[in-house]
Amino acid sequence: MKTTFSMRNGQLVLSVLVAIFMVGPILAVIPISFSSGSFLSYPLPGFSLQWYEKVLQYDPWMSALLNSLIIGVASATLATILGTLAALGFARGNLVAQQFLMGVVISPMIIPLVVSGVAMYFFLAKLGLVATFSGLILAHTVLAVPFVVIPVMATLRGFDTNLVRAANSLGATPVNAFFRVTLPNIAPGVISGALFAFATSFDEVVVALFIAGPAQKTLPRQMFDGIRDNIEPSILAMSSLLVVISIFMLAATAWLARKTS
């Protein structure tokens, strides 16, 4: 009993230390975002909300945030549709060269973003889609599809296909059976995939550096330019807001994971 109790305490302490190691640097930026100074420094010279007021101005922060939201929602929508259809095809297990196709679909998760950015730049340049919202949405869709396929396939493993057969035997068309039977049962996985797809697009900066023009500057690219040109607490103020948004998204994903299980 004592050995088991000590092992549990050791695991708890180790878990807390790992959590602090991972989350500590992220939380450390929040106090500096309230600094009254013009540079990043500890201890804080004073308390001020001036940097939050600055990031709430339309140019450049809110315009970049709006671009990220437009691109993120559009690419997440496309990725969710394509990823769900791909997962349904893979789940049937009767595709020719299924393992090869699966590798192609999830390859954006493995290929370095710099390589993907260069390849997408040359491909989209031939189509005249560089420095356009359409080009950046298509690029982010390619990157986000694997993050939809994986959770949807995980949900489909616990789905009883006899329900679809029963719906078909009662006269339902394949489309009606999908929307009335399949989709409601795999909805947690689809929503989780959509959240991951949106987060992938919203956080992406490398491909945006290759493809986006001045009019398509996203929030991560604006933060990257700010760090490169002039480091000021306004970047940390926006980072703090993104931390809060990320916490809500993680909570939603955890809730959906429990629903799926």
Side-chain angles (χ1 to χ4, degrees):
M1 293 295 294
K2 290 183 178 180
T3 303
T4 303
F5 181 75
S6 61
M7 289 181 61
R8 289 180 179 177
N9 286 340
Q11 292 175 353
L12 178 61
V13 172
L14 181 60
S15 300
V16 172
L17 291 176
V18 171
I20 294 174
F21 176 78
M22 297 180 62
V23 181
I26 299 175
L27 299 180
V29 306
I30 297 178
I32 310 178
S33 65
F34 294 99
S35 174
S36 61
S38 300
F39 301 97
L40 308 182
S41 62
Y42 264 126
L44 301 181
F47 179 85
S48 175
L49 294 175
Q50 60 176 326
W51 304 114
Y52 285 91
E53 294 176 358
K54 184 172 182 178
V55 299
L56 292 177
Q57 296 176 1
Y58 181 76
D59 193 22
W61 292 106
M62 288 296 104
S63 61
L65 176 61
L66 180 61
N67 287 342
S68 289
L69 291 175
I70 293 173
I71 295 168
V73 171
S75 60
T77 302
L78 288 175
T80 301
I81 295 173
L82 296 176
T84 301
L85 293 176
L88 288 171
F90 289 133
R92 292 182 178 180
N94 56 359
L95 294 176
V96 178
Q98 179 167 329
Q99 295 298 326
F100 172 77
L101 293 175
M102 185 66 179
V104 172
V105 170
I106 66 173
S107 61
M109 299 178 64
I110 304 170
I111 299 175
L113 286 176
V114 174
V115 178
S116 298
V118 174
M120 291 178 183
Y121 172 79
F122 285 109
F123 177 75
L124 294 175
K126 293 183 179 180
L127 300 178
L129 294 177
V130 172
T132 64
F133 280 99
S134 300
L136 194 55
I137 289 171
L138 290 176
H140 281 187
T141 299
V142 172
L143 297 177
V145 163
F147 295 93
V148 178
V149 172
I150 292 175
V152 174
M153 286 191 65
T155 308
L156 285 170
R157 289 192 181 96
F159 176 67
D160 187 1
T161 56
N162 290 324
L163 296 176
V164 178
R165 296 190 184 95
N168 292 332
S169 66
L170 294 174
T173 63
V175 175
N176 288 334
F178 171 76
F179 282 104
R180 295 190 177 187
V181 179
T182 305
L183 187 59
N185 283 277
I186 66 172
V190 174
I191 297 174
S192 297
L195 289 175
F196 282 122
F198 176 79
T200 300
S201 173
F202 193 83
D203 186 57
E204 204 285 318
V205 64
V206 177
V207 173
L209 289 173
F210 284 96
I211 298 176
Q216 297 82 38
K217 182 175 288 188
T218 60
L219 184 58
R221 181 173 174 179
Q222 175 61 38
M223 297 177 72
F224 178 82
D225 292 341
I227 294 174
R228 183 182 59 183
D229 298 334
N230 182 26
I231 300 178
E232 61 179 16
S234 61
I235 299 175
L236 300 185
M238 179 56 72
S239 300
S240 300
L241 294 177
L242 294 180
V243 168
V244 175
I245 296 174
S246 300
I247 291 174
F248 281 107
M249 291 186 66
L250 286 173
T253 304
W255 180 78
L256 288 171
R258 288 198 300 269
K259 292 282 289 184
T260 304
S261 59

